[in-house]
Amino acid sequence: MTGRSGRHGEARPASLLARLSLAPGTVAGQVFALQAVIVAVLITAAALALVFQARYDSRQDARNRSLAAAEAFAHAPGLPAALRGPDPTAGLQALAEGARKGSGVDFVAVMTIDGVRYTDSRPELIGERATGDLARAAAGLSFTEVFQGKPSDAVRAVVPVRDERGDIVGLVSTGIEIERVANVVEGQLPLLLGAAAGALLLGTGGAALVSRRLRRQTRGLGAAEMARMNEHHEAVLHAVREGVLIIDTSDRLVLANDEARRLLDLPPDAEQRHVAELGLDPRTTELLTSRRVVTDEVHRAGDRLIAVNVRPTETFSGRPSGSVMTLRDSTELAALAGRAEVARERLQMLYDAGVRIGTTLDVVRTAEELSEVAVPRFADFVTVELLEPVLRGEEPSPAAGAHTEMRRAAMSGVRTDQPLQPVGDVIRFAVPTAPMSAALDAGHAVLAPDLNAAMGWRAQDAAGTRVALDYGLHSLISVPLQARGVVLGMANFWRAADTPEAFDDEDLSFAEELGARAAVSIDNARRFTREHATAVTLQRSLLPRVLPDLSAVDVAFRYLPAKAGVGGDWFDVIPLPGARVALVVGDVVGHGVHAAATMGRLRTAVHNFSTLDMPPDELLGHLDELIDRIDQLERGVPAEGPGGAASDRGGDEPSWTGGRAGSAADGEGPDTGEEPAGITGATCLYAVYDPASGACTIASAGHPGPALVHADGRVEFPELPPGLPLGVGGMPFEATGLRLPEGSRLVLFTDGLLEDRDRDFDSGLALLRETLSQPGRSPDQACADVLAALLFPSPSDDIALLIADTRRLDPDRIAEWEVPGDPSAVSRVRGAGGAQLAAWGLEEISFTAELVLSELITNAIRYGSAPVRVRLLYDRNLICEVSDGSSTSPHLRYAATTDEGGRGLFLVAQYAERWGTRYTDRGKVIWAELSLTAGPEPAVGPALDLEALEDLGW
């Protein structure tokens, strides 16, 4: 068939100029060329006219300006008197120069009547006679002219100077040089040329639009081509193997091609006859007269069954113009239908492969899915071999010879009693002419239609191939699995006696397409395996490996990464001063290495903030500010102070929707493959437990609250203000205080433990309550039971579980005293402390403890405010705490030799293992921890007097 342009197979060019250049002989092309030439000539002529006009205008302007300047200077008052003076040059040269500069002309010359210059812009010309005809001016006539000669070519004006009687006493000549006039014209040339170019483009564009319209009307054809196109249409119409009938609005046959005449057995004079007179089957006649639109409707025509399609023709001037019927022999349709069915089955198989292969991101399972898709619809047996690095998630080596040995990863077949090597065996491709080796060398699929004749394959393993042939294997396609140009493995498709037809070339193309799709999925699974292993290694290195052994709690934990990718769940147990402990659990949105690295940053930040011993709500507030600052820096936004533009988080915050605060960090959703650069989207629960009082203070940043298990097995979930996730900002965090009964168990977890696609949060919470309500189990046993009851087969999110059995410090190991504000009370409290240490059997460290206690109490009395209290805690270490009502914190420093004080805190730091300050609602607490075993004491001089040290301390 001819296209719209009248040429067989002609593609439509991309641009108008390309279409015209491809058809220079068309009417549209000729019109365009003629119009373009006319436009170019007209614009060139117009541009030249504008140039000459500009030159004329410039000279005319120079004449007018020169004449005006000369007239003005010639009629200046006092000029005649100056000309009659003894030295006209001295009196007029400066005036002439001023007039020249003011009028913008190039020279102003005052001359005698016969042309001798009194003044000139060039002083060397003064006294010389001006050239040119000055007779008209001497006769009293002002004139302008284009002067050519020395000293320069110019547009010159000459005006006579008259005295008060009207006599001519001199001449004034002014002018503008021709070169300057030409420069004015040249300065206008870019504008003129630009306007000409713009006009040329517009004219050419207009001509192109006209030609385009003409091309559409004529289809880009000339008269000869249109005649030739008609001949082509006639030839095609009668050569196609499909019958065509055209019926007009009066149900008369307008046109019938040769195939239609043959199929319907039409008479020679059938055209222009009514369809009822053609002797057609009544159903066919009724169809042609009904104007119905049908598709592949089967009708009888003699001994044939033909498929009929009827469509109305395009309307002309708003009126219907008839209908077109096409006919095809049913025998050919049946043959085409069989081929179409095969193609449909192959397309369906490719679709199934796209849906079923690569569902788990597991390398071995992806290979198994490939083998399962192809059996039995395409092959009787399928084996998949992969390189060892691919199975480990590593990048395969491109070195030569690295593909001669693979491990069988998957195999499927129509029967289980197959003769091929089992899964797990190493498969070697030693013979270059074997189909497997040939496919790997060529980089594409290789067909062995008859295995009896495949001598290379038979030579590879004579005994094994003999068994395979006896079993009935007779045809093979070997497909190298390649992704990104790298060989990952090999897929082999086998046919046995169950399918007697051998593979053909069409099967070869299909197998290669199937292998290409599977290779992409295997490569994705390989890269996921590598990234998953990297993320797991990173996260496990960032999580605590060994929890501290504490008296306050007995702790057990479990952490499980998600199958789909490591997330950012984490936990921690942090010892705090005063025998207290901080229990932390958190969750970072997303999966992969970025989430694991983010988790490590958060855990480090929590450790750093915990050393400041601040309340949980303040710690979360500082953590939120830190995350926001990091986010701003990673987004390239300058981190400003509070109230600054960069600290305003109202514009670029993530949208946290949904009811439960903890769901913000569930980590679910599509994996985009690219993690966000910031940390926003993290949750955290921070709890501080004090074994001395049994108090527990908890604050949450968008994280689910803990479970509290009583000694009798009763489980409750304390109500906590949920708070916003970290990095969102805008609201302060709130802390909740709890008094934990003796023998309580605190359970902290992430929401991945409770909810998944098949279970909501509330259902998981109820199941957790039921599992925790069984008493009499250790924390480790409780962790195992919780995971056994709540763990999903393939969790989509990380799981972090932390169970802590709380303990109370024995009241006999706590000693407290009120300290009066009198310095003399220091020795009494020190003595009471020494007695208490003796009662605890700690005489070995009594001296050190009394020294530290004395210094701390002295500092509180001198620099603090009432009330002052002392508390001793006998735990794994001896903890000395002195509290007062002041918020001023002491600082360690080196005292100078002449200083009377400033050494007390230095002594405390030397004798104590650790010391520090924590703030309370009503002041501060200075604490120091002393080891229970006496070690080497710092040398502070012989015969230390504790009473004397009190005066040297602070």
Side-chain angles (χ1 to χ4, degrees):
M1 295 289 290
T2 54
R4 296 186 60 177
S5 63
R7 291 179 175 83
H8 181 72
E10 181 182 353
R12 299 182 65 184
S15 67
L16 177 63
L17 293 178
R19 290 200 298 270
L20 294 174
S21 63
L22 289 175
T26 63
V27 175
Q30 296 173 2
V31 170
F32 173 75
L34 181 59
Q35 288 179 329
V37 170
I38 293 174
V39 168
V41 170
L42 291 178
I43 292 175
T44 302
L48 291 175
L50 288 175
V51 169
F52 286 120
Q53 183 64 37
R55 181 174 298 177
Y56 174 77
D57 291 343
S58 298
R59 290 195 175 185
Q60 192 64 30
D61 180 66
R63 287 175 180 269
N64 295 336
R65 289 170 56 194
S66 299
L67 182 60
E71 291 280 359
F73 195 80
H75 293 86
L79 181 59
L83 288 173
R84 289 194 295 267
D87 189 1
T89 298
L92 295 177
Q93 178 65 20
L95 295 176
E97 278 301 295
R100 179 185 67 82
K101 295 178 180 179
S103 61
V105 296
D106 291 332
F107 62 86
V108 175
V110 181
M111 303 175 291
T112 62
I113 296 176
D114 55 355
V116 178
R117 296 184 180 89
Y118 288 133
T119 67
D120 199 273
S121 57
R122 300 182 184 180
E124 67 273 11
L125 298 179
I126 296 174
E128 294 185 6
R129 186 181 302 276
T131 59
D133 183 12
L134 305 177
R136 288 177 291 174
L141 179 66
S142 299
F143 68 92
T144 61
E145 64 178 352
V146 177
F147 172 76
Q148 294 180 341
K150 294 183 179 181
S152 61
D153 297 342
V155 177
R156 182 174 68 175
V158 183
V159 177
V161 179
R162 298 178 183 271
D163 59 9
E164 58 275 5
R165 296 192 303 272
D167 296 334
I168 297 175
V169 295
L171 303 178
V172 174
S173 175
T174 63
I176 299 176
E177 295 180 354
I178 294 296
E179 181 180 359
R180 184 177 170 188
V181 175
N183 290 338
V184 173
V185 177
E186 291 176 359
Q188 296 177 353
L189 281 179
L191 179 61
L192 294 176
L193 293 178
L200 181 61
L201 290 176
L202 290 176
T204 306
L209 291 177
V210 172
S211 299
R212 182 178 181 182
R213 179 63 178 174
L214 183 60
R215 182 182 179 86
R216 289 180 177 176
Q217 295 294 329
T218 63
R219 299 294 194 270
L221 302 175
E225 288 180 318
M226 294 179 68
R228 191 162 54 248
M229 181 185 69
N230 183 64
E231 295 174 359
H232 291 171
H233 283 184
E234 289 289 335
V236 171
L237 182 65
H238 294 290
V240 294
R241 298 181 59 190
E242 184 170 318
V244 178
L245 296 179
I246 299 179
I247 312 298
D248 63 11
T249 55
S250 60
D251 297 333
R252 292 185 178 275
L253 179 62
V254 177
L255 183 143
N257 68 346
D258 295 341
E259 184 68 9
R261 292 177 182 273
R262 185 185 69 83
L263 293 176
L264 298 178
D265 196 18
L266 296 176
D269 58 346
E271 293 181 355
Q272 302 305 322
R273 294 173 61 177
H274 196 278
V275 293
E277 303 173 1
L278 300 178
L280 303 178
D281 183 81
R283 288 184 63 239
T284 306
T285 303
E286 186 274 332
L287 176 61
L288 289 173
T289 57
S290 65
R291 299 287 190 271
R292 288 189 297 115
V293 176
V294 299
T295 301
D296 291 338
E297 188 174 293
V298 179
H299 288 252
R300 182 175 295 277
D303 58 350
R304 297 185 181 93
L305 290 176
I306 58 175
V308 178
N309 294 273
V310 179
R311 294 291 186 274
T313 58
E314 293 184 2
T315 59
F316 179 74
S317 300
R319 301 187 302 273
S321 57
S323 60
V324 177
M325 171 186 283
T326 60
L327 314 112
R328 182 174 290 277
D329 197 321
S330 62
T331 304
E332 297 182 2
L333 285 176
L336 290 175
R339 298 181 62 184
E341 180 63 22
V342 173
R344 188 196 64 79
E345 290 179 357
R346 295 290 170 85
L347 289 175
Q348 181 63 39
M349 198 181 307
L350 288 177
Y351 171 78
D352 293 342
V355 173
R356 294 175 54 186
I357 297 177
T359 59
T360 61
L361 290 177
D362 180 83
V363 174
V364 174
R365 180 56 193 154
T366 303
E368 293 173 349
E369 290 168 343
L370 168 61
S371 65
E372 293 168 357
V373 164
V375 175
R377 292 185 291 177
F378 179 67
D380 296 326
F381 296 94
V382 176
T383 59
V384 180
E385 293 81 42
L386 297 177
L387 294 169
E388 290 285 357
V390 175
L391 291 170
R392 297 191 299 266
E394 301 172 2
E395 184 80 17
S397 173
H403 306 148
T404 59
E405 188 174 292
M406 300 182 186
R407 187 171 298 277
R408 180 150 291 169
M411 181 170 59
S412 295
V414 293
R415 296 195 302 272
T416 57
D417 58 334
Q418 45 78 28
L420 302 173
Q421 290 177 258
V423 173
D425 276 14
V426 175
I427 310 299
R428 294 177 177 84
F429 310 115
V431 180
T433 57
M436 297 82 166
S437 300
L440 290 172
D441 292 339
H444 57 75
V446 171
L447 169 64
D450 185 3
L451 289 178
N452 284 287
M455 304 311 296
W457 174 72
R458 299 183 64 174
Q460 189 165 265
D461 181 8
T465 54
R466 183 71 264 169
V467 173
L469 291 173
D470 293 342
Y471 182 83
L473 297 180
H474 62 82
S475 188
L476 166 67
I477 295 178
S478 295
V479 181
L481 301 177
Q482 301 179 95
R484 301 175 291 107
V486 178
V487 175
L488 306 175
M490 166 75 64
N492 296 298
F493 302 90
W494 310 79
R495 279 186 180 173
D498 300 82
T499 306
E501 297 85 5
F503 288 117
D504 56 21
D505 291 337
E506 292 186 2
D507 296 324
L508 181 70
S509 300
F510 173 77
E512 193 156 25
E513 175 67 20
L514 188 62
R517 296 194 179 197
V520 173
S521 298
I522 291 175
D523 190 52
N524 289 338
R526 178 197 63 80
R527 289 190 291 177
F528 173 80
T529 301
R530 180 189 60 192
E531 294 174 2
H532 182 77
T534 303
V536 168
T537 303
L538 174 62
Q539 183 157 29
R540 292 196 182 279
S541 67
L542 295 174
L543 287 171
R545 299 185 180 182
V546 179
L547 296 182
D549 187 14
L550 302 173
S551 301
V553 290
D554 183 14
V555 182
F557 68 91
R558 293 290 188 275
Y559 169 76
L560 294 177
K563 293 294 184 183
V566 174
D569 291 16
W570 58 285
F571 63 91
D572 215 336
V573 178
I574 305 173
L576 297 178
R580 296 169 304 135
V581 62
L583 305 174
V584 194
V585 67
D587 191 356
V588 177
V589 169
H591 294 93
V593 175
H594 177 77
T598 299
M599 175 273 294
R601 298 166 77 181
L602 288 180
R603 180 169 176 252
T604 302
V606 170
H607 264 277
N608 291 336
F609 287 134
S610 67
T611 58
L612 301 178
D613 204 359
M614 58 182 61
D617 53 339
E618 293 185 15
L619 184 142
L620 292 181
H622 286 287
L623 190 62
D624 180 63
E625 292 179 5
L626 174 65
I627 290 175
D628 180 63
R629 190 178 305 114
I630 294 175
D631 283 344
Q632 292 173 355
L633 293 176
E634 292 186 352
R635 291 196 306 265
V637 179
E640 298 184 5
S647 63
D648 183 7
R649 294 182 261 182
D652 294 330
E653 300 178 38
S655 175
W656 295 95
T657 59
R660 193 178 68 262
S663 65
D666 58 7
E668 296 187 18
D671 188 2
T672 62
E674 181 178 350
E675 296 287 351
I679 308 180
T680 49
T683 65
C684 182
L685 182 72
Y686 189 85
V688 176
Y689 173 67
D690 186 355
S693 62
C696 182
T697 307
I698 307 175
S700 172
H703 198 87
L708 178 60
V709 184
H710 295 266
D712 57 359
R714 181 168 50 90
V715 180
E716 63 175 304
F717 296 95
E719 291 289 339
L720 300 180
L724 294 175
L726 297 173
V728 176
M731 295 294 291
F733 298 97
E734 299 182 47
T736 300
L738 304 175
R739 184 72 61 178
L740 302 186
E742 193 80 25
S744 298
R745 171 173 289 174
L746 205 58
V747 180
L748 285 70
F749 51 87
T750 57
D751 56 1
L753 176 68
L754 303 183
E755 62 180 352
D756 201 82
R757 297 179 180 89
D758 301 324
R759 186 174 66 204
D760 59 19
F761 186 84
D762 295 333
S763 300
L765 210 61
L767 187 56
L768 177 64
R769 181 194 300 271
E770 179 182 351
T771 307
L772 292 176
S773 62
Q774 304 172 18
R777 296 173 299 175
S778 67
D780 193 73
Q781 291 173 336
C783 284
D785 292 344
V786 167
L787 290 184
L790 279 81
L791 186 62
F792 298 95
S794 297
S796 59
D797 195 9
D798 289 14
I799 295 175
L801 175 65
L802 185 66
I803 297 181
D805 282 356
T806 61
R807 302 192 186 105
R808 297 289 290 273
L809 194 61
D810 191 343
D812 294 338
R813 293 193 169 208
I814 304 174
E816 296 183 272
W817 297 277
E818 291 280 351
V819 181
D822 186 2
S824 63
V826 176
S827 59
R828 294 195 300 271
V829 176
R830 185 176 64 242
Q836 182 63 58
L837 293 177
W840 286 339
L842 301 178
E843 293 89 347
E844 187 178 1
I845 64 169
S846 177
F847 176 82
T848 303
E850 290 182 29
L851 173 62
V852 170
L853 193 62
S854 176
E855 295 298 339
L856 294 180
I857 297 173
T858 302
N859 174 70
I861 292 176
R862 288 186 177 182
Y863 305 107
S865 59
V868 179
R869 294 183 59 84
V870 175
R871 185 171 74 163
L872 296 181
L873 301 177
Y874 178 19
D875 191 36
R876 296 174 184 265
N877 292 328
L878 178 65
I879 303 170
C880 303
E881 297 181 347
V882 177
S883 62
D884 65 82
S886 172
S887 60
T888 302
S889 176
H891 297 282
L892 180 65
R893 65 185 179 90
Y894 284 95
T897 305
T898 57
D899 289 347
E900 296 182 0
R903 299 173 179 84
L905 197 58
F906 181 78
L907 292 175
V908 173
Q910 292 297 310
Y911 279 96
E913 285 195 346
R914 294 193 307 156
W915 72 277
T917 305
R918 71 173 182 269
Y919 294 95
T920 63
D921 294 338
R922 299 182 179 179
K924 68 176 181 296
V925 176
I926 304 178
W927 55 270
E929 290 186 6
L930 305 177
S931 174
L932 299 182
T933 58
E937 299 180 355
V940 293
L944 286 176
D945 184 1
L946 298 182
E947 297 288 348
L949 286 176
E950 294 174 7
D951 296 330
L952 296 175
W954 305 87

